[in-house]
Amino acid sequence: MTNSGKGAKDTDPLKNIVAHAKEYGFVFPSSEIYDGLQAVYDYGQNGVELKNNLKRLWWKSMVQLNDNVVGVDSAIFMHPTIWKASGHVDSFNDPMIDNRDSKKRYRADELLEARIEELRDAGNENEAGELAASMGKLLESEDLEGVRDLIIEQGIVCPLSGTSNWTEVRQFNLMFSTHMGSVSEDSDKVYLRPETAQGIFVNYLNIQKSGRKKIPFGIAQIGKAFRNEIVARQFIFRMREFEQMEMQFFVRPGTEMDWYEAWMEKRMNWHVAMGISKDALRFHKHEKLAHYANAASDVEYNFPFGFKEVEGIHSRTDFDLKNHQEYSRKKISYHDPETNVSYIPYVVETSAGLDRLFLMTLCEAYTHEEVRDGDNVKQRTYLKFPAFLAPNKVAVFPLVKKDGLPEYARNIFNDLKMDHQVVYEEQAAIGKRYTRQDLIGTPYCITVDHESLENGTVTVRERDSMAQERIALDKIRSYVEEKLSDRNLLNKI
Ligand code: GAP
C-alpha cells in the first residue's frame, strides 16, 4: 500500500480500500439490496478475476511444479463423525468474553494477544514473553476463569466503554450445522466444513492407493469453508463463508520438523514471488497450539490494522489419520518400502486463506500518489498488481471511433483474448480510459491511432510509469507473453 503526498485520501487506509473495492467491482457486501449479511461478501467482475489468478498461481506452484503433490476436490458435506474424529465437535471453540457496559463481545485470547503486542512494541520483551506463556498455559488447560483473571490483572479495558466490567469467559463452537434430508432430527445433523483439510485426510487412502503414491507426498485442495465467527470484522479478513487453499504433506514420523521448516520457507518465498514486499511479511510462532498440532507458525502480513495471519503452517502429527482410523475402523497405515516399517504418516499442512491473500494483494497494490504534470500537481490512484495477478492483462483502445481504427483495434483484441483476459473500450477520451484501467490495475493499454494505419505500429502504455512505446503489430503477442509470464517468479520458489 503506497500512500504518498499531500492530499492523500486516507485517514483510515482500510476504508479507502473497502470503498475502492466496491466502486471498481472487486468486492460487494453480500445481499446488499437487503441491507447485507454480516461477514459475508461477494466478489465482483474484477474481484473474481483476481481471485481466480491467485488460485491458479497457488495451484500451479503446489501441484504443477511439485511432482509429489496432487490435487483433490472433496464435497463440503461430509459424514458427521468426521468432525468428531477431527476434534472439531469438542474442541473447535473460541473463548469469548463480553463487556457488560458496551455489550460488545470479544475473543479473550485476542484481547491478551493485543496486550502482548503492546508490551513488545514498548520494548518490554520479558513481560510480553511471560504474559504469552501464562496465557498459553491457561488456554491449554482450559482454565477460563484464569483467563478472565489475567485480562483483569492486565488492566485490559473494552475499547468502546473503557471499562473492565467483564463477564465470565465461555467457549463457543464455531461450526455451522444443518440437517440432511427432509426431517430435522439429531441423527441427520451435518456440518458445513470449517476447514478443507478433513476432505484430504479422508481421501488419503484413496489417493495413496489409486495414485500409487510413495511417502513423502502431498494432497492439495481449494474450497469453501464456513465458521460462525463471533467477532467478524475487518472486511474480508474474517468471514463466515470463506475459501481455503490447503495442502497436507504426508511424511515419515520423525521427519516432520524438517518438512515443517522446509514448507515454511517455501510458502514465505511464494508470498514474496506474488509481489508482497518482504518487510511487510513475518512469521509468528503460535503460543497456543490447536488441538491437532505439535508446532505451528503463521505467515503474517502488515495490514492497515497491523500484522495479521494470512496462512498457517502446522505440524499436525498423526492426530487426524490416527483418529480417522479409530473412528472409521478402517486401517490407515503405510508400509514404507525403504524401511520395511508400517506406520501412520505424520502430516505437515500449509493452510492459506484465499480471501486474506486477496485482501493482502489489494492492500499491497493500492497506490495513491501525487504526479507532476508541468506546473500542475495531480492526485493519482491506481492498483499496482503484478501483471500476472491483474484482473485484466491488457486493454485495447482505438484512439477515435472512426477512420477504421475500431476495426483495427478489434482485430488485436480478438487475437489477444484467445490467451489472456483482455478488455476492449472505445468510449470516452483516451486519458479517461487510461485512468479507468489504472483504477482496476490493468498493467498494459494498447492504443491504435492513425499512425497504426500508416506503419503498422501501436502504442503500449505501462500502468505504473505511464511511459508509452511504439510496438510493431506482429510483435504484440510476444511482447504481452513476455510481460505476463510467471515463469521466472515461480522458478524462485
Ligand atoms: N486446516 C487448518 C486451518 O484451517 P486455520 O489457521 O484455522 O487453520 C487457515 O485457518 C487459514 O484460513 C488462516 O490462515 C486464514 O487465512 C484462513 N481463515 C481462517 N478463518 C477465516 C475466516 N473466518 N475468514 C477468512 N479467512 C479465514
Side-chain angles (χ1 to χ4, degrees):
M1 182 179 40
T2 311
N3 209 323
S4 51
K6 267 201 309 193
K9 292 201 239 182
D10 67 298
T11 45
D12 175 353
L14 184 66
K15 263 196 188 149
N16 287 336
I17 290 167
V18 175
H20 193 97
K22 182 165 180 228
E23 189 170 352
Y24 296 102
F26 284 88
V27 182
F28 306 126
S30 159
S31 325
E32 203 190 2
I33 58 170
Y34 291 94
D35 297 331
L37 184 65
Q38 229 201 352
V40 186
Y41 289 89
D42 298 336
Y43 288 85
Q45 69 278 19
N46 292 314
V48 67
E49 296 292 343
L50 174 58
K51 207 174 172 204
N52 283 343
N53 290 338
L54 283 165
K55 283 196 226 185
R56 186 178 53 77
L57 281 154
W58 183 86
W59 193 264
K60 187 170 177 183
S61 69
M62 272 298 169
V63 179
Q64 190 176 325
L65 299 184
N66 283 309
D67 41 10
N68 57 357
V69 178
V70 293
V72 73
D73 182 20
S74 70
I76 287 172
F77 288 132
M78 299 166 79
H79 195 288
T81 309
I82 286 172
W83 303 110
K84 193 81 193 141
S86 70
H88 284 81
V89 170
D90 297 322
S91 311
F92 194 52
N93 302 316
D94 274 346
M96 309 305 307
I97 191 165
D98 293 46
N99 182 270
R100 290 197 184 93
D101 298 321
S102 66
K103 310 267 181 283
K104 270 273 172 201
R105 182 163 288 178
Y106 298 91
R107 266 179 57 180
D109 56 332
E110 285 191 347
L111 288 177
L112 286 165
E113 261 160 18
R115 175 82 185 124
I116 294 166
E117 207 56 36
E118 241 174 64
L119 289 169
R120 286 217 166 101
D121 289 348
N124 297 329
E125 194 52 53
N126 284 348
E127 225 183 303
E130 278 166 24
L131 179 56
S134 311
M135 177 184 84
K137 258 196 221 138
L138 292 167
L139 289 169
E140 199 67 48
S141 58
E142 301 228 2
D143 180 354
L144 299 184
E145 215 176 300
V147 173
R148 179 178 186 268
D149 292 346
L150 195 59
I151 288 173
I152 292 170
E153 199 182 293
Q154 286 293 319
I156 297 171
V157 295
C158 163
L160 285 182
S161 67
T163 71
S164 56
N165 191 5
W166 298 110
T167 60
E168 72 276 22
V169 178
R170 277 165 299 152
Q171 292 288 21
F172 190 92
N173 193 286
L174 300 183
M175 279 199 294
F176 282 104
S177 63
T178 184
H179 290 271
M180 203 160 236
S182 56
V183 193
S184 306
E185 282 174 18
D186 244 16
S187 57
D188 302 317
K189 189 171 175 179
V190 286
Y191 296 98
L192 296 182
R193 66 181 178 197
E195 62 169 10
T196 56
Q198 296 306 322
I200 293 178
F201 288 124
V202 297
N203 278 296
Y204 159 77
L205 266 187
N206 284 336
I207 289 177
Q208 192 271 320
K209 289 208 152 62
S210 63
R212 293 189 292 140
K213 290 286 168 205
K214 291 211 164 52
I215 276 175
F217 78 95
I219 305 176
Q221 164 153 245
I222 300 177
K224 290 270 187 175
F226 304 83
R227 295 182 190 179
N228 195 3
E229 299 283 0
I230 309 309
V231 187
R233 64 197 139 120
Q234 284 145 346
F235 191 37
I236 54 172
F237 181 81
R238 195 174 298 287
M239 299 155 90
R240 297 205 165 105
E241 174 182 339
F242 58 100
E243 218 161 335
Q244 288 187 317
M245 303 195 291
E246 297 201 292
M247 193 277 304
Q248 316 298 129
F249 200 69
F250 300 91
V251 304
R252 187 183 294 165
T255 65
E256 73 274 15
M257 282 306 154
D258 292 339
W259 285 111
Y260 170 68
E261 301 282 337
W263 278 108
M264 276 173 68
E265 188 186 340
K266 239 175 163 346
R267 292 306 302 147
M268 186 58 97
N269 290 346
W270 187 84
H271 292 290
V272 173
M274 291 304 106
I276 309 298
S277 36
K278 271 192 185 141
D279 51 5
L281 290 165
R282 71 177 187 192
F283 279 116
H284 169 79
K285 197 164 175 271
H286 276 218
E287 308 290 349
K288 184 203 169 209
L289 293 172
H291 59 273
Y292 48 71
N294 69 354
S297 290
D298 295 336
V299 177
E300 292 189 338
Y301 173 71
N302 194 7
F303 287 101
F305 41 87
F307 272 100
K308 295 277 176 210
E309 172 186 357
V310 291
E311 170 160 10
I313 292 117
H314 311 128
S315 170
R316 287 181 82 129
T317 67
D318 58 355
F319 176 90
D320 301 86
L321 289 183
K322 202 163 80 190
N323 279 357
H324 287 309
Q325 173 169 278
E326 189 187 319
Y327 278 77
S328 68
R329 301 209 186 107
K330 304 274 177 344
K331 196 161 176 253
I332 309 184
S333 71
Y334 174 79
H335 183 79
D336 196 323
E338 277 178 37
T339 58
N340 213 16
V341 174
S342 291
Y343 52 79
I344 294 181
Y346 270 41
V347 170
V348 172
E349 116 179 309
T350 69
S351 175
L354 177 55
D355 311 87
R356 289 194 189 172
L357 299 194
F358 183 103
L359 182 59
M360 169 169 77
T361 308
L362 199 58
C363 289
E364 193 75 6
Y366 184 84
T367 309
H368 184 76
E369 63 189 19
E370 283 182 351
V371 273
R372 280 210 162 270
D373 182 10
D375 285 343
N376 291 335
V377 177
K378 286 188 192 159
Q379 303 292 322
R380 179 175 183 238
T381 301
Y382 63 108
L383 297 180
K384 210 174 184 169
F385 294 126
F388 53 86
L389 283 180
N392 297 302
K393 310 299 183 208
V394 179
V396 184
F397 310 144
L399 183 65
V400 289
K401 272 198 288 183
K402 57 182 184 183
D403 305 333
L405 301 190
E407 291 75 13
Y408 198 115
R410 274 222 172 260
N411 281 341
I412 296 173
F413 167 72
N414 285 334
D415 182 49
L416 291 179
K417 79 177 183 189
M418 301 305 289
D419 297 311
H420 305 287
Q421 179 63 31
V422 184
V423 284
Y424 173 86
E425 228 194 301
E426 54 184 33
Q427 302 298 341
I430 193 74
K432 276 218 170 106
R433 280 182 268 169
Y434 286 149
T435 303
R436 258 203 310 254
Q437 295 304 319
D438 287 349
L439 287 162
I440 58 172
T442 309
Y444 301 101
C445 292
I446 294 177
T447 303
V448 170
D449 54 19
H450 290 97
E451 199 181 323
S452 309
L453 303 181
E454 285 160 24
N455 63 10
T457 64
V458 293
T459 310
V460 181
R461 173 194 181 264
E462 200 269 333
R463 176 196 61 206
D464 302 351
S465 62
M466 297 185 285
Q468 304 196 6
E469 58 178 318
R470 286 204 85 88
I471 306 251
L473 192 58
D474 61 355
K475 294 276 184 319
I476 287 180
R477 203 193 292 181
S478 58
Y479 176 94
V480 168
E481 218 57 65
E482 195 202 312
K483 296 282 186 191
L484 298 181
S485 171
D486 52 33
R487 178 176 277 263
N488 291 334
L489 292 161
L490 292 173
N491 256 341
K492 291 188 199 132
I493 297 169

